[in-house]
Amino acid sequence: MTERTDLIQTFGRKAETDRIAQLLGGGSAGYSGTLIVQGPSGTGKTRLLLESQRAAERLDFTVSSFLNPAAGGPAGRHEAASLMAVLDSAAVSSKPRLVVVDNLHNVPEELSEAVASLAHYEPPNNSRTAPLIRIIGLRTGLQNPSMRRLSSEFAGCHRIELGRLSEATSTELAADVMGAAPDPKLAAMISGAGGNPLLIVELVQGLREEGSVEISHERARLLDERIPRRVRDLAQHWLDSLSDKARQLVQVAAAVGGSFMVVEVASMLRETTASMLPALNETIASGLLICPGEQTVFQHELVRRSIADALPAAVRQALRQDVTALRRQHCLQVPMPPEFLVTGGRPAGTPVPGSTDAPAPLPAPAPLPASSTEPGIVHRLLPALLMARSTRTEPLPLGLADELRASLTAVLQAHYADVELTGTADAPLAERADRITRNTVSLFADGVQRATTRARAILATHQGRDDEADAVTATVVMSNLEWAVGNLAEGLRWGQRAVQCLGPATPPMWSPYVRLALATKLSDIGRFEEAEGLISTARTEAEALGQPHTATPSIARAMLLLQSSRLQEAQDSARAGLEVAAKTGGGWVVPVGQAVLILVALRRGDLASAADYAWRCRAAVGADSTVFPSIHFDWGECLVATAQLGARRTAELLTTTYAHLLTSPQLFVEEAAAAAWFVRLALAADDMPLASTVVTAAERFAAANPGRPTLAVAALHARGLLERDSEALRQAAREHVSPCAGALAEEDLGILLSAQEEKNGALGAAALRSALQRFVQIGSQGDIERIRAFMEEHGTPVTSAPRQGRPATAGWEALTETERSIAHLVSDGLTNRQVARRVSLSPHTVNYHLRAIFRKLGIGSRVEVARHITHSA
C-alpha cells in the first residue's frame, strides 16, 4: 500500500490507509487484532474497507468479506453460519486471514452471536494457527438495540474515527479528482461540502460532466455555480432516509436559510419544541444538522441549497416570508458566521477530527496500543462521572472505555511517579496504576445496583488509603447514587467524606470536581454560602489545571445562582462556562449550562429563547456520549411544553413522556417549587388524582429526610394548594429558602384569597402585590406579566411601587451596565475585538451583547447605535 491508491485519490484518507497498512503488516508478522472503523455517511468507511481487502490480498491474506449483513431471516442465518465457518477455519489456516464486516449498525439478531464470537475469538496457541485480523465498519449515530449490546463486546479494539476533512484536504482531494487545482470560486463552492469526501467527489465530477468547469494549464476554473445533478441526487438520497417529520423539518429549515432557531421551524410546522424533539434528534444523528455554539446550521451548505432548490419557488418564497414575520414578531436575529460552514463552529486553526492535517498516531506493529495515550479524554469522562446525579443506563460506547483506560493510566503513572508516598508502594508503579484505572472505569456502570456494588467493593479494599484515586471516585459515586434516590443525609455524608479524603495520593485533576459534586448538593438544599465557598476553592484548583477545567465551576455556580434566584448572574455564569466548553471540548457539561439558560429564559418570559435552548440542550445530550442523565433536561423541556401547549395537554404529557418527573426525588430537591408547580398544573387541568399523586410523593420524600426543612416547606406548599389552605401557603411563602419559590407561594396565596372576595379580597390583593414586588426584585419578567394579567382580569388595583420597579424591556433603560458600556464604545467606532479588550470579555460575548442592544433599542446597525446615543445626549 505504498503506491498511491484509488482510495487515496478519491477520498483523501492517506493517514487512515497507512494506519491499516501497518496493522496488516503486523498481521503478516504474527499479530492478531481487531480494528473498528467508524464514520458518518459519505466519509468513505466502506471504501476504506474495500481498500483494506485489496492490500490484504497483495500481502497474501485469505480475505472473508461481509460488507452488507443481511436484514434478517434465512439470509441472516446464512451470513451467521458463514461467519462462524470462517472462524472455525481460521484455527487451522496456514495463511493470515482478514475478516471484514461492514455496517455493523444494521446487524440483525441472527448475526449477533456470530459477531460477538468474532470480537472474542482468540486462535489456539499452536504452530498451525495463522494470525486473524478483523476490520469492522460502523456508521456513527445509528446504533440499534442489538448494536448497543454488541458494543460492549469490542473492548480492547483499535479504532479509526472518520470525521470531516479539513478545508485544505478538501481542496487537495478535489484537485486529485480533477487533475487540476481549483480557482478561488470553485474552492469556495467546495467548502460548501463541509469536508464530506463523498460530497466533494460528487460535486467535482458532476461539474465536469455538465461542463461547468474549464481546465487549463493545471487550473480548474468554475464557469457555472449551479449545483450539479449528482449532488442533488445525493442530497435527495440522504433526505429520503429520514422519517416524514424529520424530512419536513429539514426541508423547511433549508428554505429558511443557513441557520435557524428550532422554535421558528416548530412554529411554522404548527408543532411544539417538545413534539419536534424526536425529529430534531434524528437530523443530528444523520449528520445533516449540527449545533455549533448558538446556531443550528446545516453541516453541508451544498446539501441545504440542493434541498431548498428542490422546493417550488413559490413555496420557498412563502416559507421565507413566514420566518421573516416570525423573527420580526419575536425580535429573533440569528446571524450565521460563514466559518460555521467549514469548521462547524470550531475556533480557527483547530484540527478537524478525521482530517489528514492531524492524523492520529500510528500503532506499533505488535501489539497495537489502545487508541489514545493522551490524557485528554480524562478531561471529559472523569468530571462527568464525579458530577453525575445518577448513573449510566448502558455501558460506555464502543471503544470509549479503552480510551479512558489508556489515558487514565498515563495520568496516574505520571502522578505516582512525581509524588513520594509512604506506606503505599505495595506493588510496582505500572501494576498499581492499572489496578486503580480498572477500578475507576468500572464505576461507569450500566445501572444503579451495579455501580453501587462496584463502589462498595472498591472501598472495602482500601484500608487507610482512602485518598487513592479510585477510592475517592468510589466515595463520590456513593454520594451521587444516594442523593439520586432521595437519601440526602447519606448523600451529604459520602460527599463530605470524599472532600476529606483528598490527599497526596489523589491526582490534582480529581480535587475540583470532588468539591463541586458536594457544592451542588449543598446548593440544592439551600446552603448557598457553603456551596459558594466550595465552588470558589474548586475554581482556583481548576484554573491551576488549565482552561479545559474552568467550564465546570462556572456552570456549577450558574446553577447555584439560579436556585438563589439571581437570574442575570446565573445567565452570565452559564454563558461563560459554555463559551469555555465550546473552545476546549467540554461537551459533557454543555447540556447543564443550556438547562440553566432554559430556566432563566422562562423566568423572563422569553419563550422563543427557552424553546431554542431546550432543543440545543437535547441535541447536546445526544451528541456527547459522556453526558449522564439529569433531571434538569427533562424539567426544562416540560416547562417549555407547558408554555406552548397549556395545562390540559401538558397534564396528559405528565402521564406519558414526563411521568418520571412526578415522583422524582432529584427534581423535588433541586427545584423547590416543582411539586407545587405540578399541583397547580393538575388543578388547572381539573385532574385531582394527578395533584394527589404529587402531594403524596412530596410528603413521603420530606418524611424520609426529616432534617431537611426545604423539603418540608415544598411539601407544605403543594398540600396548601391541593386543600386550598391559606395558612399553609402563607407559611410556605415565609419559609421557602428559594426567593422564586417563596414568591410563587405568595402568588398562590393571593389567588386563593382573591377567590373569597367578600371575606378576603383585600388580603388577596395585598398578597398578589407582595408577590409582584418579590418577582420585580428577582427580575422574573414572565412571572410579573402573569400576575399583572391576573390582577387586571379580576380588577385588582396594582400599586405604583411595583410598576415603577418593573424592569424596562425596551429603550435605553432596558440596557444593562455592560451593554451601555459596549454601546458607548461601539458608537466611538471600536470593533468588537477592540471593545472586548476594553471590557474584559471575549469578542463572541461582545457580539452577543451587541445583538441584545440592537433588539432593545429597535435598531439594526452600529451606525444607529451611535445615532441613538447622540440624540439621547
Side-chain angles (χ1 to χ4, degrees):
M1 291 178 67
T2 55
E3 76 256 22
R4 194 168 188 82
T5 67
D6 179 61
L7 176 69
I8 297 173
Q9 293 172 342
T10 306
F11 278 168
R13 295 292 185 188
K14 185 178 187 305
E16 289 80 3
T17 309
D18 289 346
R19 207 167 176 187
I20 290 177
Q22 194 164 5
L23 171 68
L24 295 174
S28 63
Y31 169 71
S32 296
T34 302
L35 173 67
I36 306 294
V37 181
Q38 292 183 246
S41 177
T43 51
K45 168 179 60 67
T46 300
R47 291 295 302 272
L48 192 60
L49 299 188
L50 288 168
E51 186 59 36
S52 302
Q53 293 184 48
R54 297 179 193 172
E57 290 167 356
R58 288 196 295 270
L59 292 171
D60 200 26
F61 275 65
T62 299
V63 178
S64 299
S65 175
F66 302 86
L67 284 174
N68 285 292
R77 288 190 291 273
H78 173 73
E79 292 278 3
S82 300
L83 183 53
M84 296 299 289
V86 166
L87 298 180
D88 291 339
S89 64
V92 295
S93 175
S94 61
K95 295 168 59 176
R97 182 178 293 274
L98 173 67
V99 178
V100 180
V101 180
D102 195 10
N103 296 323
L104 191 62
H105 49 277
N106 290 332
V107 67
E109 291 293 334
E110 291 86 348
L111 270 174
S112 297
E113 183 179 349
V115 174
S117 299
L118 177 67
H120 293 294
Y121 173 81
E122 289 295 339
N125 188 18
N126 61 61
S127 58
R128 292 191 303 163
T129 301
L132 175 66
I133 302 292
R134 292 145 289 192
I135 301 184
I136 296 170
L138 173 64
R139 181 176 171 186
T140 54
L142 293 177
Q143 295 186 358
N144 57 20
S146 177
M147 183 58 238
R148 282 194 291 271
R149 289 195 301 272
L150 286 171
S151 66
S152 60
E153 306 286 353
F154 288 97
C157 298
H158 202 60
R159 285 160 42 112
I160 289 179
E161 293 278 355
L162 298 179
R164 299 185 299 161
L165 302 179
S166 70
E167 187 171 6
T169 307
S170 298
T171 304
E172 182 183 357
L173 172 59
D176 282 346
V177 176
M178 293 186 297
D183 71 353
K185 287 179 65 177
L186 179 55
M189 192 173 189
I190 292 167
S191 72
N196 184 286
L198 177 60
L199 193 54
I200 294 168
V201 171
E202 293 296 293
L203 171 66
V204 295
Q205 289 183 343
L207 290 172
R208 291 188 66 177
E209 290 171 357
E210 296 177 14
S212 298
V213 291
E214 179 185 69
I215 298 177
S216 177
H217 303 294
E218 298 185 349
R219 188 76 168 171
R221 185 167 66 91
L222 183 64
L223 303 177
D224 190 337
E225 296 185 17
R226 284 180 297 182
I227 296 176
R229 176 169 292 280
R230 276 177 173 263
V231 173
R232 286 183 274 130
D233 289 346
L234 180 60
Q236 188 63 47
H237 171 71
W238 287 344
L239 188 65
D240 290 342
S241 67
L242 301 176
S243 66
D244 290 343
K245 184 174 281 191
R247 184 163 56 250
Q248 188 180 26
L249 160 68
V250 170
Q251 288 175 313
V252 172
V256 164
S259 66
F260 62 92
M261 294 179 74
V262 66
V263 68
E264 298 171 346
V265 176
S267 297
M268 294 167 70
L269 294 175
R270 300 187 182 279
E271 298 273 1
T272 66
T273 303
S275 65
M276 287 295 296
L277 278 174
L280 292 164
N281 292 337
E282 183 182 350
T283 62
I284 289 290
S286 72
L288 286 175
L289 298 179
I290 55 175
C291 279
E294 295 187 0
Q295 274 86 25
T296 301
V297 301
F298 277 81
Q299 180 144 231
H300 319 296
E301 174 63 8
L302 284 173
V303 172
R304 186 201 69 79
R305 284 178 53 196
S306 298
I307 294 172
D309 290 347
L311 297 172
V315 174
R316 289 200 307 271
Q317 178 81 10
L319 289 172
R320 288 168 183 168
Q321 289 175 349
D322 287 348
V323 77
T324 300
L326 194 65
R327 288 176 176 175
R328 187 179 297 115
Q329 176 184 352
H330 293 286
C331 298
L332 300 176
Q333 299 296 328
V334 192
M336 180 184 63
E339 61 266 25
F340 282 131
L341 296 178
V342 178
T343 68
R346 294 182 182 87
T350 303
V352 178
S355 73
T356 54
D357 289 352
L362 293 176
L368 284 173
S371 56
S372 174
T373 56
E374 295 297 325
I377 193 170
V378 181
H379 299 168
R380 290 166 43 210
L381 286 172
L382 185 66
L385 174 64
L386 294 175
M387 296 293 294
R389 296 303 184 89
S390 184
T391 189
R392 296 185 63 86
T393 55
E394 57 188 40
L396 283 173
L398 183 63
L400 210 54
D402 290 327
E403 291 186 63
L404 179 59
R405 287 189 190 98
S407 54
L408 189 58
T409 299
V411 170
L412 292 171
Q413 285 183 343
H415 174 69
Y416 292 135
D418 288 344
V419 298
E420 188 174 326
L421 305 175
T422 59
T424 60
D426 57 349
L429 177 63
E431 182 180 326
R432 181 176 173 215
D434 181 65
R435 169 180 57 80
I436 294 174
T437 293
R438 281 186 282 104
N439 284 344
T440 302
V441 174
S442 75
L443 293 169
F444 286 88
D446 53 341
V448 172
Q449 188 58 50
R450 294 181 68 180
T452 303
T453 300
R454 291 171 180 176
R456 291 190 183 278
I458 292 169
L459 293 172
T461 64
H462 284 269
Q463 298 178 355
R465 296 180 301 176
D466 289 346
D467 60 340
E468 285 201 328
D470 55 341
V472 172
T473 306
T475 306
V476 176
V477 168
M478 286 299 301
S479 172
N480 293 339
L481 294 177
E482 293 287 1
W483 196 264
V485 298
N487 298 330
L488 303 191
E490 280 296 284
L492 280 180
R493 184 178 71 82
W494 282 108
Q496 290 163 343
R497 175 178 167 181
V499 172
Q500 294 165 359
C501 285
L502 296 174
T506 311
M509 191 185 301
W510 269 246
S511 295
Y513 302 105
V514 172
R515 298 187 201 280
L516 290 172
L518 176 59
T520 56
K521 297 176 179 68
L522 292 170
S523 177
D524 287 346
I525 58 176
R527 291 162 63 173
F528 298 129
E529 290 187 12
E530 294 175 71
E532 188 88 69
L534 281 168
I535 291 174
S536 177
T537 302
R539 180 187 296 278
T540 301
E541 293 173 333
E543 289 172 349
L545 292 172
Q547 192 179 40
H549 298 274
T550 59
T552 308
S554 293
I555 299 295
R557 186 166 186 268
M559 188 59 73
L560 178 150
L561 293 166
L562 176 65
Q563 290 172 321
S564 56
S565 302
R566 294 150 67 183
L567 301 185
Q568 183 61 51
E569 293 176 84
Q571 177 179 279
D572 292 344
S573 189
R575 284 185 170 142
L578 289 171
E579 185 173 352
V580 173
K583 292 178 180 177
T584 60
W588 76 271
V589 80
V590 168
V592 183
Q594 297 284 14
V596 171
L597 296 179
I598 294 171
L599 299 174
V600 170
L602 286 170
R603 283 273 171 233
R604 291 181 162 175
D606 186 355
L607 178 58
S609 294
D612 200 60
Y613 285 132
W615 151 232
R616 298 184 191 286
C617 180
R618 186 56 60 188
V621 172
D624 198 312
S625 58
T626 66
V627 174
F628 280 72
S630 171
I631 210 70
H632 281 108
F633 311 157
D634 294 337
W635 173 239
E637 284 182 1
C638 184
L639 293 177
V640 170
T642 302
Q644 293 179 325
L645 299 175
R648 189 170 298 278
R649 288 186 62 190
T650 304
E652 294 173 2
L653 283 177
L654 288 176
T655 63
T656 54
T657 307
Y658 301 116
H660 61 290
L661 297 179
L662 296 174
T663 56
S664 169
Q666 261 188 286
L667 180 61
F668 288 167
V669 69
E670 294 178 25
E671 296 290 341
W677 185 87
F678 285 134
V679 173
R680 179 190 286 195
L681 181 73
L683 294 177
D686 197 24
D687 192 338
M688 291 299 293
L690 177 60
S692 297
T693 297
V694 174
V695 171
T696 300
E699 290 178 338
R700 284 178 180 169
F701 187 35
N705 293 274
R708 307 298 163 202
T710 53
L711 301 179
V713 173
L716 181 69
H717 186 176
R719 174 64 70 179
L721 271 172
L722 178 64
E723 297 186 351
R724 302 176 63 81
D725 184 341
S726 60
E727 284 306 311
L729 293 175
R730 187 174 285 110
Q731 182 180 347
R734 186 169 58 248
E735 296 182 6
H736 264 305
V737 174
S738 164
C740 273
L744 284 168
E746 192 151 30
E747 178 189 355
D748 290 329
L749 173 64
I751 292 172
L752 174 61
L753 295 176
S754 296
Q756 306 165 350
E757 292 186 17
E758 294 183 5
K759 183 178 179 181
N760 294 315
L763 293 176
L768 287 170
R769 284 192 289 267
S770 177
L772 184 62
Q773 183 63 55
R774 292 169 79 166
F775 281 128
V776 167
Q777 292 171 352
I778 294 168
S780 187
Q781 190 63 34
D783 296 302
I784 293 170
E785 296 298 340
R786 184 183 62 253
I787 295 178
R788 286 189 178 280
F790 178 87
M791 296 177 76
E792 291 171 3
E793 181 181 349
H794 291 80
T796 304
V798 180
T799 58
S800 58
R803 188 173 294 276
Q804 290 173 354
R806 178 184 179 186
T809 58
W812 185 258
E813 295 302 318
L815 269 58
T816 65
E817 288 300 318
T818 299
E819 289 167 350
R820 291 180 186 181
S821 298
I822 290 173
H824 281 292
L825 293 171
V826 166
S827 71
D828 290 337
L830 274 65
T831 66
N832 283 8
R833 192 169 297 278
Q834 291 169 329
V835 172
R837 286 195 291 267
R838 294 282 189 93
V839 296
S840 300
L841 295 172
S842 71
H844 176 81
T845 304
V846 169
N847 185 53
Y848 165 80
H849 283 302
L850 191 58
R851 293 201 305 271
I853 292 168
F854 289 168
R855 185 178 68 251
K856 292 177 182 179
L857 297 182
I859 58 180
S861 70
R862 304 167 80 93
V863 173
E864 289 177 277
V865 172
R867 187 180 300 129
H868 188 282
I869 290 176
T870 301
H871 289 170
S872 299

